[in-house]
Structures are given as structure tokens and as C-alpha cells.
Amino acid sequence: MKRFIAKLGIISFESLTLKKRIILIFAASTIIPFLCTALVSNHAITLILSKNLNSGVQSNLHQVQLSLETTISNLNHVSQQLAYPGSVGMMLEQYLSATQQYQKAVLIEDIQTELNLITFTNPSTNLVMYYFKNEDSYLFQNNAIRDDFSLSKLPMLASYYGITYYGPHISNSMYNNEFVLSALRRVDVPGREGIYVYIESGFKLTQSILESDRIGKNSFHLILDNDGRIAYSEAGSIFPQNGYFSPDGKPSDHAVDGDSGLMNGYYWFKGTSNQGWSVVSLIPKEDYNEEKNRWIIKMIYLFALFTSIGLLLAWLLWKMVYKPLNQFNMEMKNVISTRIQSPVVRTTIPEFNYLLKQFHNMKNQIANLFQEVEQKEKRRADLEVEKLLYQINPHFLMNTLDTAHWLAVMNGQKEIDRLVLSLNKLLHYNLGKLGQKSTIREEIDSLRQYLILQQIRYDFAFDVRIEVEDDVLDAAVPRFILQPLVENSLYHGLDDDGYIQVDVKQKEHIEITIQDNGAGISQEKIEELLNEPKNPQEKVGMGIGMSYVKRMLESYYEGHAKLDIVSEISKGTTIRLTLPFREVSQDDERVGRG
């Protein structure tokens, strides 16, 4: 299946035109690096933004936490002075124990003086008073109290060691509508229960820090008590006051853990004080990702720009390539329409100019080949006519020789009959065979007829010995490879006492040896016989030289045959042929029968 898909992909790509391939490659080379860069940049900018934002939020939360802790510490310090056995607390115990009005009046003045001094030295302190829980009343307040004052309505922030902190909440001072933090501390006057000090401290410093902590235009803050209950909320619609900071608003067993996270579409960051209360910064998901979204939009614009540039460059490259390709097309059309001798065209690209020049040279070579083929075809036609004439004349000659043979028989001329019969057979083998292939048997028969003619013609008394193994008689060989070799022995110093030995044997190959005891041949003469064609005036015998044998062997056996000549002056010559064994096929037999 995978191979099929891969093969399909290759086929589909190969079916694309050059224009589409250029556009595809340019688009890929532009988009892929850009996408890789964008992905890496996105990861990097996400880490950077998250790290910077988290660091900034945590830093501001720490400042808020320090501000609240300072305010709470100040409330604790002031409340200690007002509680028993603090200086003001002891004066309160004396006041509650006094029975005389004068003494109470003096103590009231002293207590008021101390309270004014305390509030003066602690400018963040707004409302200070003693609260009597059992009677639900208060004394020595430095400001007017709201009519709806009730401790049960106040959001408790933390409670420990006999002191409870509330807030942030609206001040219980009648003429103060700002948020404050408050503390309720038990006075512990001996013999008296239910007496508390109630103190309020300004929240302006903490509010200013919260305002500076705005990461986005819609960021909010929460202040949680020790149990995770929301004591102060700037996002009351989603995280209402007195609810719990959890996905479902349920108590602390469902509360979230950790210092940051995502809840109800807000990223939250929390800082927890040593007393257990916490400050939470809320940032809407849209605001949190605003900077990243702006970066993504820029990347989209850059992607569109890079894609447009890549497509433009691909189109320009196609235009640069299209014109030379069109020139190639015109050149090919000129070749097809035989308009070959056209001028060389040029382009603005050196590489294409070189290819067009090479193509022009190829056209000239093709034109020359066409001329050569036309000339060869013309010569071939002339040779066909000439061959037809030669086919007519030999048949007439052989028929005439056949008539002479019968006349010699009728007149009892045996020597003439023998001469005419051998000549007729030799001419029949030489001229009547249409193909070039023959057999060892036919070559030996033709050689015998040739030797008979030569003996009658020149009245030679030399001895010719021919020995052929029966296994090679039907082996296929080219025509006339034996007669030129024997003719060489006849015409190079063979006298009446000489002999010619012809041996044909089969070993790994067919080995043919022609050996004589003539005058021998020099090496220069051997080279001349093998490589230089004979002059027509110098032709003897059948007119077929040894160079013909060499060329025929090279053509027929394609370099697998071997011709060796060894000769010594006054001692004789040995010619050895080494031929691969080939049997005669039916087609060769049909050709031989012609």
C-alpha cells in the first residue's frame, strides 16, 4: 500500500507541467522555512510573554501583599495600644470601674486625648472605637458611625490570636465611602466580657497598587480569606463576594491549587500571605492573548507577503524560461518541417544560448546525415540494377558452360569435360548462392574444384592433402574463407615438388590450418596482404584477397575469430584460423539453396 501511494505521488508529480513545478517549488521553498520560523517564534514569544507577564503579575501581587500586610500590621499595633494592658486599655478599665462622674469625665478626656494622639501618629487610621458586643453599643469613636453598622456584614479576611481582620469594605464612618481594612480585637478588661476595639485603616495605598497592576483594560483583583472565600471582588458578576474561588463557587474542598491557572475564561495568578489570606489577579483570556494575537496577525500578513513574493518570483522565472523553451519548440518544428538551415537564435540566458547552439550543430549534422543517406540510397539503387545485370549474365554463362560440358562428353574430350565441369561448379558456388553463409563441407568442395582448375590450367604437380573431421563438416562459416588462403600458397613460391596441407579439426573451437613448403613470405608482405586491397590489374585466380577473409571474419564472428600467419623465408608458410563453432540454421539452409 505504501509503495502504491509513493508511486502514485511520483506519477502525479511527473504529470505536472514545468510552470506548475516551478510555482510549487518556489511556494514550498518560501512557505516551509517561513512556517518553521513562525512555529519556533510562536513558541519563543509564548514563553517570553508568559514569563514576562507572570513575572510582572507576581511582582505586583507581592507589592499588594506587602501593602496589605503593612496595613494589617499597623492595625495590630494600634489595637494593642487600645487593648488591655495597653495604656489606653488600662485607662478604659479605670473608666469602667469609676463611680464618680468627675473621675469619669477626666478619664474620658484622657482617653480622647490618647486616641487623637494615636490617630495623629497613624494617619492611615480612620475610625477608632470601643465596641460592646453584649450591649451592641460603642464608646470613644472618633467619627460618626453608620446606622447600619454590623460586624456580621463585614467580609472577614483572617482571624487568629484574639483579633479578626475584615475587608476590604466600605467604611462604617458615616461620612466616608472609601474602602478600608478593619480589625476587631478583644480588650480583655479584667472582670468584663464582650469589649472589643474596632479600628479601620485606609485602603488607598493598596487600591493604587491594584490600579497599577492592570495588565489589560479589563483585569480584576480578588482578596481571599484563609478559607478561600472571596472577601473582596472587582469581578462580582463572575466571582461574587462571599463566594468561593473555585470553578463552581463551592467551599475550599473544591478550591483550585497552585499559583496560576485558567478559570471561567480568566487567567488567574495568586499570592498568599503568611497569615493565610490571598490576593488574586484576574486577566481575561482575550487580554492575556492580545499581544500574542497581534503577533499572529503580523505573521499572517508576513505569510501573505512572502507567498505573494514567492509566486511573483516563480512567475518571473517561468517567463524567463518560457521564451527559450518556445525557441526550442520552434527549432524542433523547423527540423520536422525540414527547414533545417535556419539561423541561430539567441536568448538573454547564456545557458540556453549554449543549448541552442548545440541544437543548431545537431541540425547541421542531421542535414549532413540526410545527404549521406540520400547518396547511399541512390548508390544502393544503382547497385540493385547492377546486381540484376550480374544475376542475368552468370546464369547465361553457367548455362553455356553446361552446354560445353555435354559437347565435350559427346566428343570424348575428358580433360575438357573435367575442366568445364569444375569451372561450372565453382561458378555456381561463387555466383549462384544468394547468402553469405556456407558450411565447411561446401567450402571444401569449392576448394577441390578450384584446385582442379589450377592444376589443369598451370599443369602443376604439387600435392594437396585435405583432412577434415566429420564432426565439423556441417559447421556454419562465411563463404570463401579457404580459397584465398590456399591461393596465397599457390602464388608465393610453391614449385612442383611442393605440397599444401589443409587440416580442419574441432577442439574447443574449429581450427583450420593451411600449411605449405613454399618460398615463404616476409612480414611486410603479410601486412600488405591482410590490410591492403589488391589492385585490379594485379588480381589472380578468383580475385578474392586475404584482406577479404580478415574483414569477413571480423564481421561474421564480431571479434571472436582469430587469423594467424607464420612464415619463414625458404621454408614455407602456416596459416591458422580459429573459429567459434556454429551450426547451420534452417534459414541459412534456405538461403544456401537459394
Side-chain angles (χ1 to χ4, degrees):
M1 186 64 183
K2 291 182 179 178
R3 291 183 179 178
F4 174 76
I5 294 174
K7 186 176 181 181
L8 184 63
I10 294 173
I11 294 174
S12 61
F13 182 78
E14 291 179 349
S15 63
L16 295 177
T17 62
L18 179 60
K19 181 178 181 181
K20 292 181 179 179
R21 293 188 187 188
I22 292 175
I23 293 176
L24 180 62
I25 292 174
F26 260 81
S29 61
T30 303
I31 294 173
I32 292 176
F34 177 80
L35 289 178
C36 294
T37 304
L39 290 175
V40 173
S41 301
N42 177 58
H43 180 69
I45 198 170
T46 300
L47 292 178
I48 293 172
L49 289 175
S50 299
K51 184 177 180 180
N52 291 343
L53 184 60
N54 293 354
S55 177
V57 171
Q58 293 293 347
S59 177
N60 287 336
L61 286 178
H62 184 64
Q63 294 183 24
V64 172
Q65 180 180 329
L66 290 178
S67 174
L68 290 175
E69 287 178 345
T70 300
T71 302
I72 290 173
S73 177
N74 186 57
L75 289 174
N76 181 54
H77 176 67
V78 173
S79 66
Q80 285 179 347
Q81 297 181 50
L82 298 180
Y84 189 88
S87 58
V88 182
M90 294 180 65
M91 293 170 65
L92 176 63
E93 190 270 335
Q94 294 174 8
Y95 169 79
L96 294 176
S97 301
T99 57
Q100 297 179 5
Q101 292 297 325
Y102 173 77
Q103 186 180 6
K104 285 186 176 184
V106 172
L107 288 172
I108 288 174
E109 185 177 353
D110 291 341
I111 291 173
Q112 290 291 354
T113 300
E114 289 293 330
L115 289 176
N116 290 335
L117 180 61
I118 290 173
T119 54
F120 178 78
T121 55
N122 296 278
S124 62
T125 303
N126 294 324
L127 177 62
V128 178
M129 68 178 181
Y130 284 102
Y131 176 70
F132 297 86
K133 186 176 181 181
N134 296 333
E135 292 85 7
D136 192 22
S137 60
Y138 36 83
L139 288 174
F140 305 111
Q141 65 275 14
N142 61 346
N143 287 308
I145 307 301
R146 292 180 184 273
D147 296 335
D148 58 349
F149 172 74
S150 175
L151 292 176
S152 61
K153 296 180 180 179
L154 301 180
M156 186 176 66
L157 184 61
S159 178
Y160 47 85
Y161 302 123
I163 185 170
T164 302
Y165 297 99
Y166 300 95
H169 59 86
I170 299 297
S171 175
N172 284 301
S173 178
M174 185 175 293
Y175 305 107
N176 186 1
N177 292 321
E178 296 179 354
F179 279 92
V180 297
L181 295 177
S182 60
L184 185 68
R185 189 185 190 101
R186 191 168 59 247
V187 177
D188 292 333
V189 176
R192 301 295 294 267
E193 298 289 340
I195 302 176
Y196 296 89
V197 175
Y198 179 79
I199 306 173
E200 290 183 353
S201 179
F203 190 59
K204 290 184 178 180
L205 177 60
T206 304
Q207 283 183 308
S208 64
I209 296 175
L210 291 176
E211 288 295 329
S212 66
D213 189 33
R214 306 285 183 190
I215 303 300
K217 58 184 178 180
N218 297 319
S219 59
F220 307 101
H221 299 88
L222 306 177
I223 298 178
L224 311 179
D225 65 9
N226 303 51
D227 298 325
R229 185 179 58 84
I230 300 174
Y232 171 78
S233 175
E234 291 181 349
S237 59
I238 302 175
F239 299 97
Q241 191 169 317
N242 294 323
Y244 287 87
F245 186 65
S246 62
D248 52 5
K250 293 183 179 181
S252 58
D253 55 340
H254 296 273
V256 294
D257 296 325
D259 296 330
S260 62
L262 178 64
M263 183 191 303
N264 298 336
Y266 287 83
Y267 284 99
W268 59 269
F269 304 88
K270 183 170 67 173
T272 304
S273 70
N274 295 330
Q275 293 82 18
W277 51 268
S278 306
V279 181
V280 179
S281 179
L282 299 173
I283 304 174
K285 189 176 181 180
E286 295 78 10
D287 291 357
Y288 183 85
N289 294 327
E290 183 177 1
E291 186 68 25
K292 183 178 178 181
N293 292 336
R294 283 199 296 267
W295 178 85
I296 291 175
I297 292 174
K298 291 180 182 178
M299 287 296 103
I300 292 174
Y301 286 138
L302 286 176
F303 175 78
L305 177 63
F306 275 75
T307 303
S308 301
I309 292 174
L311 293 177
L312 178 62
L313 292 176
W315 181 78
L316 290 176
L317 180 61
W318 163 244
K319 292 295 291 183
M320 292 173 61
V321 175
Y322 172 75
K323 187 175 180 181
L325 287 179
N326 192 41
Q327 294 291 349
F328 273 109
N329 186 35
M330 293 298 298
E331 292 292 321
M332 292 179 183
K333 287 183 178 179
N334 289 339
V335 173
I336 295 174
S337 59
T338 69
R339 295 196 301 267
I340 296 177
Q341 300 298 332
S342 58
V344 180
V345 296
R346 298 187 63 82
T347 66
T348 58
I349 303 177
E351 289 81 3
F352 279 107
N353 288 335
Y354 175 78
L355 292 176
L356 286 170
K357 182 179 178 180
Q358 294 296 104
F359 188 82
H360 185 75
N361 294 336
M362 184 188 70
K363 288 195 306 180
N364 293 335
Q365 293 177 2
I366 292 176
N368 295 333
L369 289 175
F370 281 167
Q371 293 177 358
E372 292 180 6
V373 170
E374 290 176 356
Q375 293 176 359
K376 288 181 179 180
E377 286 296 319
K378 184 177 180 181
R379 288 197 299 269
R380 191 176 68 83
D382 295 340
L383 289 174
E384 289 292 334
V385 175
E386 187 176 350
K387 179 181 177 182
L388 183 60
L389 293 175
Y390 280 122
Q391 284 180 345
I392 296 173
N393 292 332
H395 283 290
F396 173 76
L397 178 60
M398 285 185 288
N399 290 334
T400 302
L401 290 174
D402 191 54
T403 301
H405 158 65
W406 287 110
L407 288 174
V409 171
M410 293 174 62
N411 294 315
Q413 300 291 331
K414 295 183 179 180
E415 191 70 16
I416 297 175
D417 173 41
R418 183 183 174 202
L419 176 66
V420 172
L421 184 61
S422 296
L423 178 61
N424 194 13
K425 290 181 179 180
L426 187 60
L427 289 176
H428 179 77
Y429 180 70
N430 186 23
L431 303 176
K433 193 176 182 68
L434 298 179
Q436 289 185 335
K437 295 181 181 179
S438 182
T439 62
I440 296 292
R441 186 190 305 276
E442 292 174 338
E443 279 289 292
I444 295 298
D445 291 342
S446 173
L447 179 61
R448 295 182 190 277
Q449 303 303 326
Y450 169 76
L451 291 173
I452 291 173
L453 288 176
Q454 293 294 71
Q455 287 175 338
I456 296 174
R457 181 183 176 188
Y458 296 106
D459 194 22
F460 283 168
F462 54 83
D463 184 19
V464 179
R465 309 164 191 168
I466 300 176
E467 296 183 7
V468 183
E469 292 183 354
D470 295 338
D471 295 339
V472 299
L473 286 174
D474 294 324
V477 292
R479 296 179 65 201
F480 291 111
I481 61 171
L482 293 183
Q483 180 264 320
L485 304 181
V486 174
E487 182 181 13
N488 176 76
S489 298
L490 291 176
Y491 290 100
H492 288 89
L494 192 68
D495 54 23
D496 289 346
D497 296 330
Y499 72 89
I500 298 175
Q501 178 72 36
V502 179
D503 293 321
V504 182
K505 300 178 181 179
Q506 181 180 0
K507 298 180 180 179
E508 294 182 357
H509 300 79
I510 298 176
E511 187 175 288
I512 302 176
T513 305
I514 296 97
Q515 184 178 3
D516 65 65
N517 60 349
I521 313 172
S522 65
Q523 189 64 33
E524 292 78 7
K525 188 63 177 179
I526 292 174
E527 294 293 333
E528 180 182 347
L529 290 173
L530 291 176
N531 299 316
E532 295 184 8
K534 289 185 177 181
N535 192 316
Q537 284 81 11
E538 297 178 357
K539 286 186 178 181
V540 294
M542 295 293 293
I544 301 174
M546 291 183 66
S547 61
Y548 160 80
V549 177
K550 180 181 178 182
R551 292 195 304 272
M552 184 60 67
L553 294 178
E554 291 175 352
S555 174
Y556 186 79
Y557 292 105
E558 299 178 350
H560 296 289
K562 189 176 181 182
L563 171 63
D564 295 319
I565 300 178
V566 178
S567 181
E568 294 185 27
I569 302 300
S570 301
K571 290 185 178 181
T573 303
T574 300
I575 302 174
R576 182 173 288 103
L577 289 178
T578 304
L579 311 176
F581 182 84
R582 293 183 181 178
E583 294 183 354
V584 180
S585 64
Q586 294 181 356
D587 294 337
D588 295 335
E589 292 178 356
R590 287 195 294 268
V591 171
R593 295 188 183 100

